[in-house]
Amino acid sequence: MKRLLYGILLVLWTVFLGSCSGETTESEAGRYSIYYLEPDGTGFIKEEYEIKSQPRDTVGILTELLEQLHTGVREGAGIPPIESAIEVTDFQIQETQLSVYFSAAYQNINGLDEILSRAAIVKTLCQVSGIDYVEFYVEDQPLMLSGKAVGLMNSDSFIDNLNEREREQSKQVTLYFSDESGQQLVEVYTELTYDAAQPLARLLVEKLIAGPERIENLNVSALLPTVPPNTVVNSITIRDNICYVDVSREFMELLTNVKSDIVVYSIVNTLCELSNVNRVQFSIEGEQQEKYGETTGFNAPFERNLDLVVAGTGAEG
């Protein structure tokens, strides 16, 4: 692996920090769950694996796990999520983030197959002590899907239920739209149907962009959309319970009848409904802005604000 030597000092520092925690982890126990793909491509098979490397040998453990994800499955069981034609050319560790580098053949998988494979890899590697997030690279470039960088992932980045075999699943969610005055927020309870392992945070923001009129069986007469409709979500990453949301410049084109605070907290309150989010940090095309409309401090993380919320409503079944 070409760049492995450059990451050794970072790895050793990460291992040292981990050794100070005093916590018993799955890596110390020496057993890991390897996630393979169901032969019919509808879900996962979880196999227990006993690591051969020393418990504190992070490089050795990751090397073993990546080998298992590539070739190490019992005959007749699951399919390795890293196809034989794909080479893992390197991996690097920086603090709690693991970057995995794949050969160009990775681009040959797409759709649900790619999502499930990526989920299996991330869920396996995030078991390693000290690894909180995983990022994919293809030929030294960040993994791009539909023209957008996938970015950092962890086990919570995927909303698939590993015990379910169905591609289509449903989840009750809470969205926040504006009331007809543009001065307050209204909770909207609805059922979100999603396909396999798409990141839930992105789906929620895209629902806000689409507006309340796109939610079936919802009385929208007293509701207003909040997010400018031409806004594009460039990336969403959840790290240390902060959801980092980067959007296009169209987000700055405020709707004339909705206060800027209402726009901000429609997104913040919606994302803070997720169990792994308690703050939201915004950026515009990768840059932070000090002000958004009349909202100041836009360059700092926002916490949930329920003072702006009036009575909620729900979509009829």
Side-chain angles (χ1 to χ4, degrees):
M1 295 183 178
K2 302 175 184 176
R3 287 177 297 274
L4 187 55
L5 291 177
Y6 295 100
I8 290 294
L9 290 177
L10 290 171
V11 171
L12 293 176
W13 177 245
T14 301
V15 172
F16 170 77
L17 291 178
S19 68
C20 296
S21 67
E23 297 179 359
T24 300
T25 65
E26 188 166 3
S27 63
E28 290 173 332
R31 299 190 66 83
Y32 288 81
S33 295
I34 310 291
Y35 291 93
Y36 298 109
L37 305 183
E38 292 273 13
D40 59 4
T42 59
F44 301 87
I45 293 176
K46 187 166 66 171
E47 297 282 351
E48 292 301 311
Y49 175 75
E50 186 167 350
I51 211 78
K52 298 178 179 61
S53 299
Q54 293 298 313
R56 302 295 186 185
D57 182 6
T58 304
V59 171
I61 292 171
L62 289 170
T63 300
E64 281 192 56
L65 293 178
L66 286 167
E67 289 174 352
Q68 292 299 311
L69 290 167
H70 196 208
T71 59
V73 63
R74 295 199 304 264
E75 184 177 353
I79 298 172
I82 303 177
E83 296 181 0
S84 58
I86 300 172
E87 181 185 358
V88 178
T89 60
D90 192 11
F91 64 81
Q92 296 181 13
I93 302 170
Q94 184 172 11
E95 296 181 346
T96 62
Q97 300 174 16
L98 170 67
S99 299
V100 183
Y101 292 78
F102 297 95
S103 62
Y106 187 96
Q107 300 286 18
N108 294 332
I109 57 174
N110 50 54
L112 181 64
D113 290 341
E114 190 279 330
I115 294 171
L116 290 175
S117 296
R118 180 156 41 94
I121 297 167
V122 170
K123 287 182 176 293
T124 298
L125 298 179
C126 278
Q127 296 172 82
V128 178
S129 178
I131 302 299
D132 293 336
Y133 303 96
V134 179
E135 188 172 19
F136 283 15
Y137 285 80
V138 179
E139 292 288 297
D140 294 327
Q141 297 298 317
L143 174 63
M144 306 288 289
L145 294 178
S146 301
K148 302 170 186 175
V150 173
L152 296 173
M153 300 164 284
N154 61 14
S155 296
D156 295 327
S157 299
F158 304 92
I159 59 175
D160 60 303
N161 183 337
L162 296 185
N163 296 319
E164 295 291 337
R165 298 172 62 89
E166 299 299 325
R167 291 180 56 161
E168 191 172 86
Q169 302 177 44
S170 296
K171 181 180 180 66
Q172 289 291 327
V173 298
T174 303
L175 305 171
Y176 289 81
F177 292 105
S178 175
D179 70 351
E180 55 189 342
S181 73
Q183 307 288 314
Q184 292 182 296
L185 290 168
V186 178
E187 294 173 305
V188 172
Y189 314 107
T190 187
E191 187 173 87
L192 177 63
T193 300
Y194 54 87
D195 183 13
Q198 300 178 61
L200 182 52
R202 177 183 286 274
L203 292 177
L204 293 177
V205 176
E206 289 175 348
K207 283 290 183 182
L208 293 176
I209 295 172
E213 64 274 7
R214 297 294 297 273
I215 298 177
E216 296 183 2
N217 304 318
L218 178 67
N219 181 1
V220 299
S221 60
L223 297 175
L224 295 176
T226 55
V227 184
N230 294 324
T231 300
V232 175
V233 179
N234 294 328
S235 66
I236 291 185
T237 302
I238 299 173
R239 185 168 64 248
D240 298 330
N241 298 115
I242 301 176
C243 186
Y244 295 87
V245 180
D246 185 68
V247 292
S248 64
R249 297 201 179 276
E250 287 80 2
F251 182 71
M252 304 298 288
E253 300 171 1
L254 279 160
L255 300 173
T256 57
N257 52 350
V258 178
K259 288 176 55 178
S260 57
D261 276 359
I262 297 301
V263 181
V264 170
Y265 285 106
S266 74
I267 297 175
V268 172
N269 286 3
T270 295
L271 291 174
C272 283
E273 293 287 340
L274 299 175
S275 61
N276 59 333
V277 175
N278 54 37
R279 289 185 293 170
V280 177
Q281 172 78 69
F282 292 94
S283 59
I284 310 297
E285 300 288 356
E287 298 180 355
Q288 294 183 354
Q289 309 288 331
E290 292 185 3
K291 194 173 181 181
Y292 177 67
E294 297 301 316
T295 303
T296 58
F298 191 63
N299 55 349
F302 287 85
E303 295 182 351
R304 184 198 311 257
N305 184 349
L306 298 180
D307 292 338
L308 297 172
V309 179
V310 294
T313 184
E316 298 177 1

